[in-house]
């Protein structure tokens, strides 16, 4: 296990240039050439790295941008052994001793990477939120009546709160309002 190692920060351009061409829409495994669609088949990927490579990624559900996380470690493991990067574990089974490796926030480099990815995700969400706050060009239809509003999202949200007692929160605190309202509309129409 390495300690006191500075985390390598890769930009999206760095990751794209190092990614295998056959994996342009998929993420290449950290340790072999197999590719996975992490958005659709994350469980298959996790199964693969466990059973093919003896590698476990702790708390995957808490990682922002899993594809960037995997790509970071793929690049890192191309020049470093699992023993030098991961926490090693042994399991005594009937078939003998098996070795497993763990990528976890217990490793300072892993913790820093997860923190950086989470910060990037937060910045993206805040950017979307700000753009939505400033957008005065959209058209909004009320979920409950025929009223249509042109302009800022707060117009329709305030209308639904005042006229229909439907409050989803203060308009300035919401993100991805259009997709949320469309999801609600879909559910109500069913």
């Amino acid at each position: 296990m390495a300690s006191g190692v500075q985390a390598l920060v890769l930009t999206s351009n760095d990751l794209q240039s190092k990614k295998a061409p056959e994996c342009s829409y998929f993420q290449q495994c950290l340790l072999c050439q197999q590719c996975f669609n992490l958005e659709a088949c994350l469980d298959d990927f996790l199964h693969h790295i466990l059973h093919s490579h003896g590698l476990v990624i702790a708390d995957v559900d808490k990682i922002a941008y899993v594809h960037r996380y995997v790509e970071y470690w793929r690049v890192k493991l191309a020049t470093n052994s699992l023993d030098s990067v991961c926490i090693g574990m042994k399991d005594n089974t009937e078939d003998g001793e098996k070795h497993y490796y763990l990528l976890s926030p217990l490793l300072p480099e892993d913790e820093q990477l997860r923190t950086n990815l989470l910060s990037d995700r937060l910045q993206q969400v805040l950017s979307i939120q700000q753009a939505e706050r400033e957008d005065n060009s959209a058209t909004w239809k009320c979920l409950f009546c025929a009223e249509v509003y042109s302009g800022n999202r707060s117009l329709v949200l305030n209308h639904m709160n005042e006229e229909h007692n439907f409050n989803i929160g203060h308009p300035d605190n919401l993100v991805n309002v259009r997709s949320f309202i469309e999801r609600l509309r879909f559910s109500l129409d069913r």
Side-chain angles (χ1 to χ4, degrees), residues 29 46 49 72 86 90 115-116 132 138:
C29 174
L46 297 173
I49 63 172
Y72 173 88
C86 301
K90 293 180 186 176
T115 300
N116 290 346
E132 288 180 352

Side-chain angles (χ1 to χ4, degrees), residues 9 16 18 48 66 78 86 88 108 125 128 136 152:
V9 177
Q16 290 299 328
K18 292 176 175 60
H48 167 78
V66 173
C86 301
V125 169
I128 292 168
N136 290 315
N152 192 282

Side-chain angles (χ1 to χ4, degrees), residues 9-88:
V9 177
L10 298 174
T11 65
S12 298
N13 292 337
D14 293 331
L15 297 178
Q16 290 299 328
S17 65
K18 292 176 175 60
K19 191 176 284 190
E22 64 274 6
C23 291
S24 58
Y25 295 105
F26 293 83
Q27 178 61 53
Q28 186 176 339
C29 174
L30 296 95
L31 297 162
C32 70
Q33 299 298 314
Q34 191 164 345
C35 296
F36 296 87
N37 179 337
L38 296 182
E39 287 185 27
C41 303
L42 181 60
D43 288 342
D44 293 341
F45 170 73
L46 297 173
H47 182 269
H48 167 78
I49 63 172
L50 173 62
H51 294 286
S52 297
H53 307 295
L55 180 63
V56 176
I57 300 173
D59 300 323
V60 175
D61 58 323
K62 296 178 183 171
I63 300 172
Y65 301 122
V66 173
H67 63 285
R68 287 177 51 194
Y69 177 89
V70 170
E71 183 62 13
Y72 173 88
W73 286 114
R74 187 188 73 77
V75 170
K76 179 84 172 186
L77 291 169
T79 57
N80 295 276
S81 69
L82 285 170
D83 287 323
S84 67
V85 174
C86 301
I87 298 169

Side-chain angles (χ1 to χ4, degrees), residues 131-151:
E132 288 180 352
R133 282 180 183 165
E134 296 170 355
D135 182 12
N136 290 315
S137 63
T139 301
W140 303 88
K141 183 179 181 312
C142 177
L143 289 170
F144 306 105
C145 68
E147 290 290 325
V148 176
Y149 294 89
S150 293

Side-chain angles (χ1 to χ4, degrees), residues 116-184:
N116 290 346
L117 292 172
L118 190 58
S119 177
D120 289 352
R121 177 68 178 137
L122 177 59
Q123 288 305 313
Q124 179 193 30
V125 169
L126 291 173
S127 174
I128 292 168
Q129 183 184 44
Q130 188 61 33
E132 288 180 352
R133 282 180 183 165
E134 296 170 355
D135 182 12
N136 290 315
S137 63
T139 301
W140 303 88
K141 183 179 181 312
C142 177
L143 289 170
F144 306 105
C145 68
E147 290 290 325
V148 176
Y149 294 89
S150 293
N152 192 282
R153 65 197 179 153
S154 63
L155 297 171
V156 73
L157 294 173
N158 289 336
H159 161 79
M160 288 191 295
N161 182 30
E162 293 166 7
E163 298 299 321
H164 306 288
N165 237 5
F166 182 74
N167 184 2
I168 58 173
H170 192 281
D172 283 344
N173 297 335
L174 302 174
V175 182
N176 294 321
V177 174
R178 171 83 55 204
S179 61
F180 181 62
I181 288 179
E182 291 308 314
R183 185 171 290 177
L184 288 173

